[in-house]
Amino acid sequence: MTEETPGFDEKPDVPSGATPDDAEPQAASEEGAAPAGDASENAGLVAQLDQVRTALNERTADLQRLQAEYQNYRRRVERDRVAVKEVAVANLLSELLPVLDDIGRARDHGELVGGFKSVAESLEAVIAKMGLQQFGKEGEPFDPTIHEALMHSYAPDVTETTCVAILQPGYRIGERTIRPARVAVAEPQPGAQTVKPAEDAAEAPDASGAEDNAGTKESGGPDEG
């Protein structure tokens, strides 16, 4: 039986025809291949991350555009709803204007009494709550945008075209005019400003003549002779 010689270690397996020194470069090459594979894998992940970021930015822009379009749509719908409501209210109140005119004439003639007065006041309160406003007063300047002149005359006591009588009051809702005020207007008297200077000029010679006569009397030359 053969005994193992102490002090000798077993040598690693080495391919046939290769020396032990050839094993060390091979191990080093295997260790260097691993970092190269990690770098290529990281580059792939970075490329995928860039693609995800680009897609996210595109989706965010689409969402913001849709949100802006929705807000514009809501504002447009609200504006149209308000406009339709104003037109409907204006049409309804336009049909009630003859009734309001009758109430106004009855009030002017003292006939608005009893139950008729209560009904009329209730109706006026309701239409006032709906936004109907009455306008048109005597003595205010004539404005063709809100007044309709049915009668015309001249007056010496006005300096501009003035509403001297309100034949039918006007009505408006907000800035919308339902009916212009129908009025009688008066303009300044033609030639009123040119007559006065002529009268002053006629009075001027009389005054100067009186002064001359007074001066002659004071001098006393001819009379004393």
Side-chain angles (χ1 to χ4, degrees):
M1 183 175 181
T2 305
E3 297 179 358
E4 294 181 354
T5 304
F8 291 94
D9 296 332
E10 295 182 356
K11 296 181 179 180
D13 295 337
V14 179
S16 59
T19 60
D21 297 335
D22 296 337
E24 296 180 359
Q26 183 177 1
S29 63
E30 292 178 356
E31 293 177 357
D38 293 342
S40 61
E41 184 177 357
N42 291 337
L45 292 176
V46 170
Q48 293 179 359
L49 181 60
D50 292 339
Q51 292 178 356
V52 172
R53 287 177 178 173
T54 301
L56 178 61
N57 293 334
E58 292 177 354
R59 299 300 179 272
T60 303
D62 293 340
L63 180 60
Q64 292 175 348
R65 183 170 59 254
L66 289 175
Q67 186 176 6
E69 292 178 355
Y70 177 68
Q71 293 296 335
N72 293 334
Y73 169 76
R74 287 188 58 185
R75 285 193 291 267
R76 185 167 58 253
V77 169
E78 181 66 18
R79 185 173 60 251
D80 294 343
R81 186 183 66 82
V82 173
V84 170
K85 180 181 177 181
E86 290 180 353
V87 170
V89 172
N91 292 336
L92 173 62
L93 295 179
S94 297
E95 298 297 329
L96 294 176
L97 294 186
V99 179
L100 297 178
D101 293 336
D102 293 339
I103 293 175
R105 284 189 289 269
R107 181 179 287 112
D108 294 338
H109 290 84
E111 299 176 357
L112 197 63
V113 294
F116 180 47
K117 179 179 180 181
S118 300
V119 174
E121 291 177 349
S122 299
L123 177 61
E124 290 175 341
V126 171
I127 63 175
K129 186 181 297 185
M130 298 178 67
L132 186 67
Q133 298 176 354
Q134 180 178 318
F135 66 90
K137 295 180 180 180
E138 295 182 4
E140 62 184 6
F142 176 75
D143 185 354
T145 61
I146 60 174
H147 296 141
E148 180 182 355
L150 300 183
M151 299 178 64
H152 178 270
S153 62
Y154 296 97
D157 57 344
V158 297
T159 58
E160 60 179 347
T161 304
T162 306
C163 300
V164 295
I166 306 299
L167 306 179
Q168 280 186 336
Y171 292 95
R172 67 164 65 97
I173 299 178
E175 299 298 328
R176 180 193 296 269
T177 300
I178 303 300
R179 186 183 73 184
R182 294 167 180 171
V183 300
V185 299
E187 292 184 354
Q189 188 71 31
Q193 297 179 355
T194 60
V195 173
K196 186 175 181 180
E199 294 176 354
D200 295 339
E203 295 175 0
D206 297 336
S208 61
E211 292 177 356
D212 293 339
N213 295 332
T216 305
K217 290 179 180 180
E218 290 177 358
S219 62
D223 294 339
E224 293 178 356

